[in-house]
Amino acid sequence: LKLSDFETEELLLVKPKRTIAEYCWTLTPFAPRFVFEADLNVKRVTYIDADLWFLKNPEAIYSEFEKSGKQVLITDHAYAPEYDQSSIFGSYCVQFVIFNRNKCEIVRKWWEDQCIEWCYSKLENGKFGDQKYLDSFPKLFASDVHVLYEKEFTLAPWNATRFPYGNGIFYHFHGL
C-alpha cells in the first residue's frame, strides 16, 4: 500500500507539525483502516512493530484472542520492577495489536482521533505518543478490548528478567 494513496486531509494537516517518528506513531491507528479499505475481504489486521523477532508461531496469541470474544487485542508491557516506566510510556505497548473488521471501529476510531489531536514524543498531560492512549482502552472499551493474559509471550528489554525465555513468542528489540 502506498501511503500517499491513503493519507487523509487531517493527516496531511498534522504531518508538517510532527517529526517523522511522531507522524509514524500518528499513523498507527490508521494502518488497519487503510488495509480494511484496500481489501474488503480482509477480516482481521494485526499491527506489529518492525522490531519484533518471532521466536514461535503466534498462534497461541490468536487462540487466546479468539476465546475472549473481543474485537481488539492489546499487550501489557509487563515491566519488571527494576524497569517499570508505566508512568511515562503506559501499561500497554503498541507492539502487537489485533483488530477485527467493523467491530473494532469504535476503539480504532477513538484512537485515531486522539492521535490526530496529539501525538508527540514527550510526556504531556498523561499522554506519550500513540502509546499512553492504550491505557484507556480497557476502561473505555471493556466489552471490546482484550488484554493478552499470557504476558510471558511478549518479551522485551523491560520485562525479560521476569519471564522464562522459552515461553516467549516474540522479543521486542526496542531501542536496538
Side-chain angles (χ1 to χ4, degrees):
L1 300 175
K2 191 174 172 187
L3 178 59
S4 61
D5 291 341
F6 291 93
E7 283 177 301
T8 65
E9 283 185 39
E10 56 194 351
L11 281 170
L12 293 171
L13 283 172
V14 301
K15 189 175 187 176
K17 300 171 188 167
R18 305 209 173 145
T19 66
I20 291 171
E22 291 167 345
Y23 188 64
C24 287
W25 292 344
T26 302
L27 289 169
T28 305
F30 283 85
R33 172 179 156 186
F34 296 159
V35 174
F36 289 140
E37 288 175 357
D39 187 340
L40 298 177
N41 294 311
V42 173
K43 303 289 186 226
R44 174 181 291 159
V45 170
T46 303
Y47 168 87
I48 60 171
D49 276 353
D51 54 357
L52 296 188
W53 175 42
F54 283 84
L55 307 163
K56 299 178 187 170
N57 184 320
E59 180 54 39
I61 296 173
Y62 288 99
S63 178
E64 181 183 321
F65 178 54
E66 285 290 325
K67 289 175 187 169
S68 79
K70 306 281 179 105
Q71 305 308 315
V72 176
L73 175 133
I74 59 175
T75 59
D76 199 311
H77 272 112
Y79 289 107
E82 66 271 25
Y83 298 114
D84 188 352
Q85 294 188 347
S86 55
S87 63
I88 299 169
F89 301 116
S91 296
Y92 306 104
C93 187
V94 179
Q95 61 184 347
F96 189 100
V97 185
I98 303 173
F99 300 89
N100 283 338
R101 178 186 281 282
N102 298 329
K103 296 181 180 181
C104 74
E105 270 307 292
I106 189 168
V107 179
R108 193 207 56 74
K109 179 69 169 111
W110 179 87
W111 189 22
E112 178 181 295
D113 291 344
Q114 302 310 304
C115 286
I116 284 292
E117 185 179 315
W118 191 99
C119 192
Y120 297 96
S121 183
K122 61 183 175 181
L123 182 62
E124 183 177 292
N125 298 325
K127 300 177 279 201
F128 185 90
D130 60 348
Q131 186 113 325
K132 287 272 284 182
Y133 295 121
L134 270 60
D135 284 3
S136 297
F137 281 20
K139 298 170 198 153
L140 295 176
F141 309 106
S143 63
D144 295 310
V145 174
H146 177 69
V147 178
L148 184 68
Y149 178 75
E150 300 293 344
K151 294 172 178 45
E152 68 272 8
F153 288 171
T154 64
L155 300 175
W158 53 80
N159 71 17
T161 59
R162 280 187 68 192
F163 304 116
Y165 180 78
N167 292 345
I169 289 179
F170 63 75
Y171 191 91
H172 188 161
F173 279 100
H174 172 79
L176 179 66

